[in-house]
């Protein structure tokens, strides 16, 4: 009986572990999706605040060739865009993948972004501080970092990242957005999160519930087994014994 009980307990425990794993997996994916959405909303607020601090009056391109993006399919997008300003005419390569990842679909606003950050590029540390402020307002208290890359008119790429952000890795990437008329600015946003700091309460409560449930199920099965054993034993005792006497 003892060996059977051990096997039974092991089977129940395995089933419980599988159920607990899938419950945690679903909860983690749900929370991570919500985290990414809230983080992006906070970033857009931070970016708009940074944009308002730029003075772009009296500046601006004189020509644009990017069609209305809301009515253009992927295959119909041009390979490049052209605009002219006081310094000359420029033809910029348009990255189609980045095009659909732009922070806005409004062509005029994209143009404004390019002008605003042409002379004074985005500073990752400065924008990151503003982003963290909005993250805290959303109830997200985690380390945050930004990695910004910019493609200039000659096609050269310059990049910069938030200071003291060595912890950045692909698994901590929450979203990527492109900015500008030709999507020439790309921002990769990171949050220092882990399964534990997102699910520690659920894991602790889940383990407690798991242990209690396993114990209760085990005790219930033992109770049923003892009942069955007692009934069978009683039937054996009450069954009349017939003796055959040989003459």
């Amino acid at each position: 009986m003892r060996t059977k009980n051990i096997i039974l307990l092991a089977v129940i425990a395995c089933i419980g572990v599988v159920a607990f794993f899938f419950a945690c997996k679903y909860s983690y994916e749900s929370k991570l999706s919500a985290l990414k959405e809230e983080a992006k909303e906070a970033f857009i607020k931070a970016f708009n605040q940074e944009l308002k601090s730029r003075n772009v009056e009296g500046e601006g391109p004189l020509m644009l060739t990017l069609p209305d993006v809301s009515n253009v399919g992927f295959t119909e997008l041009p390979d490049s865009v052209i605009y002219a300003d006081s310094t000359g005419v420029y033809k910029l390569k348009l990255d189609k993948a980045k095009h659909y990842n732009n922070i806005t679909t409004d062509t005029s606003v994209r143009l404004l972004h390019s002008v605003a950050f042409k002379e004074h590029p985005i500073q990752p540390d400065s924008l990151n501080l503003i982003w963290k402020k909005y993250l805290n307002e959303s109830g997200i208290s985690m380390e945050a970092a930004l990695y910004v890359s910019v493609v200039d008119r000659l096609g050269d790429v310059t990049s910069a990242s938030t200071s003291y952000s060595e912890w950045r890795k692909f698994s901590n990437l929450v979203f990527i957005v492109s900015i500008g008329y030709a999507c020439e600015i790309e921002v990769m946003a990171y949050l220092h999160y882990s399964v534990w700091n997102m699910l520690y309460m659920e894991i602790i409560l889940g383990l407690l519930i798991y242990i209690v449930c396993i114990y209760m199920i085990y005790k219930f099965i033992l109770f049923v087994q003892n009942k069955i054993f007692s009934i069978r034993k009683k039937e054996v005792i009450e069954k009349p014994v017939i003796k055959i006497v040989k003459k």
Side-chain angles (χ1 to χ4, degrees), residues 84-90 118-119 153:
D85 60 15
S86 58
T87 61
V89 180
Y90 300 95
K118 180 179 66 172
E119 298 298 332
R153 294 165 180 171

Side-chain angles (χ1 to χ4, degrees), residues 126-145:
S126 175
L127 183 57
N128 192 58
L129 284 175
I130 304 172
W131 183 37
K132 287 178 72 174
K133 181 187 75 172
Y134 286 107
L135 285 173
N136 289 329
E137 289 179 3
S138 302
I140 302 174
S141 300
M142 299 177 182
E143 288 187 72

Side-chain angles (χ1 to χ4, degrees), residues 205-236:
L205 290 175
L207 285 173
L208 290 174
I209 294 171
Y210 168 74
I211 293 170
V212 171
C213 288
I214 293 297
Y215 178 77
M216 291 178 66
I217 292 171
Y218 177 68
K219 294 297 288 186
F220 175 74
I221 292 175
L222 285 183
F223 172 77
V224 173
Q225 284 182 342
N226 290 334
K227 272 289 186 182
I228 294 173
F229 180 75
S230 298
I231 292 171
R232 287 179 178 176
K233 188 175 180 180
K234 188 176 180 182
E235 288 177 352
V236 172

